[in-house]
Amino acid sequence: SSTAYTPVSSDLYYSNGSLGTLKIPAISLTVKVYEGTDSTALKKGAGHFNDTSIWNGNVCIAGHNRGINNHFGQIHTLEDGDKITYTTKLGTRTYEVFYVGQIEETDFSRLGRSSENMITLITCVRNVPEMRWCVQAREVS
């Protein structure tokens, strides 16, 4: 099956500069998503990985897990079946968690394109610089 991919285009930005809003009720998180995963984007909220899809396929988002903006500080506590909603100008999708685990910081395999609609969240592992927490969820049909 072919992979799905929606590029970021200028018409997908909201007036506040964000691309969307991520909500994870299980950890009481609501955070805006900005383009890029550099410190500027992550100061404002969560960051969308450049070159990953913004809507169809695999949407990949990074966030800090400590400090003032520790939006993703609790994502490792999520469990299979927990819901994540993601709203953009293209609509709102609800996803269900199916993977929570640690990956090496050099492992980008989970950021790859996908034929199914899913969302991938990445954050650091506290005091383990070479590892990342990764949460993946697939669209609830």
Side-chain angles (χ1 to χ4, degrees), residues 9-139:
S9 54
S10 56
D11 58 338
L12 293 181
Y13 285 89
Y14 290 95
S15 56
N16 61 20
S18 72
L19 284 166
T21 301
L22 193 68
K23 291 187 180 176
I24 312 179
I27 56 173
S28 305
L29 176 68
T30 299
V31 62
K32 288 198 174 357
V33 176
Y34 297 87
E35 179 63 9
T37 54
D38 58 9
S39 55
T40 308
L42 295 183
K43 271 198 186 99
K44 294 187 281 191
H48 172 254
F49 281 92
N50 301 85
D51 301 327
T52 74
S53 181
I54 193 62
W55 186 242
N56 290 321
N58 187 10
V59 177
C60 304
I61 297 173
H64 282 315
N65 74 341
R66 63 168 101 198
I68 290 172
N69 295 323
N70 68 336
H71 303 293
F72 282 13
Q74 296 302 315
I75 65 167
H76 64 282
T77 66
L78 292 171
E79 296 175 357
D80 287 1
D82 282 345
K83 300 284 196 299
I84 297 172
T85 63
Y86 175 58
T87 299
T88 72
K89 284 195 170 181
L90 297 171
T92 296
R93 279 193 177 137
T94 300
Y95 304 86
E96 204 167 74
V97 172
F98 69 89
Y99 173 84
V100 180
Q102 289 189 16
I103 59 172
E104 293 185 25
E105 66 165 340
T106 53
D107 176 6
F108 296 105
S109 61
R110 290 181 181 273
L111 302 185
R113 297 190 184 177
S114 165
S115 55
E116 64 176 343
N117 292 328
M118 54 191 288
I119 197 161
T120 301
L121 310 179
I122 304 275
T123 194
C124 296
V125 177
R126 197 160 292 190
N127 304 321
V128 191
E130 67 277 8
M131 299 299 287
R132 298 286 180 269
W133 283 110
C134 175
V135 172
Q136 289 192 294
R138 62 172 59 91
E139 185 179 13

